[in-house]
Amino acid sequence: QSFKLLGFLDVNSVPCSRESVLYGSVGSLVVGLGHFLATSRVRRSCDFAVGGFICTMLGYWFYCRYNLAQQRIRQRMLREGMRNKILFEGSSLDPERKQTGNEGSDS
């Protein structure tokens, strides 16, 4: 079952969107309730809650997307390294193979 935010953003299919909305709602609750307990001004606290939602959601969104990009880079490097290991294993280009002076003779 998909959940669409603002009618067009499918939260389940976009990476990091679900967690961003959840953390944003918690941040909204904390900031709004904290401001209300400090000042007892309802309208101003709601404004702070909306601001807290936006800031928390965007902050976690960028943090999560950055980590996702780093993970994809590491996966690509690992995949390339495994492919090179399979290609060069046992050949003269294999870095793990011992380089000896008498490679041409079978003694």
Side-chain angles (χ1 to χ4, degrees):
Q1 184 179 12
S2 68
F3 173 71
K4 295 196 179 221
L5 185 66
L6 301 175
F8 64 90
L9 178 63
D10 190 11
V11 174
N12 289 335
S13 65
V14 178
C16 299
S17 61
R18 180 179 178 269
E19 292 86 5
S20 296
V21 170
L22 290 174
Y23 281 119
S25 61
V26 170
S28 167
L29 183 70
V30 168
V31 170
L33 190 60
H35 189 270
F36 177 74
L37 291 175
T39 63
S40 297
R41 297 174 65 190
V42 177
R43 182 179 168 102
R44 185 85 167 164
S45 297
C46 290
D47 293 341
F48 269 80
V50 170
F53 174 78
I54 292 171
C55 290
T56 307
M57 186 181 75
L58 288 177
Y60 187 77
W61 170 270
F62 288 121
Y63 169 76
C64 183
R65 294 296 284 199
Y66 177 77
N67 284 339
L68 186 65
Q70 291 295 319
Q71 181 183 9
R72 287 182 178 168
I73 289 170
R74 284 191 301 268
Q75 285 176 347
R76 189 176 342 125
M77 288 173 57
L78 183 62
R79 196 177 315 122
E80 190 174 308
M82 288 171 51
R83 186 177 58 234
N84 287 341
K85 170 81 171 159
I86 292 169
L87 284 175
F88 297 133
E89 189 172 30
S91 71
S92 62
L93 298 175
D94 188 5
E96 292 182 5
R97 187 174 171 191
K98 300 264 193 276
Q99 299 293 332
T100 60
N102 54 0
E103 290 179 10
S105 64
D106 293 328
S107 47

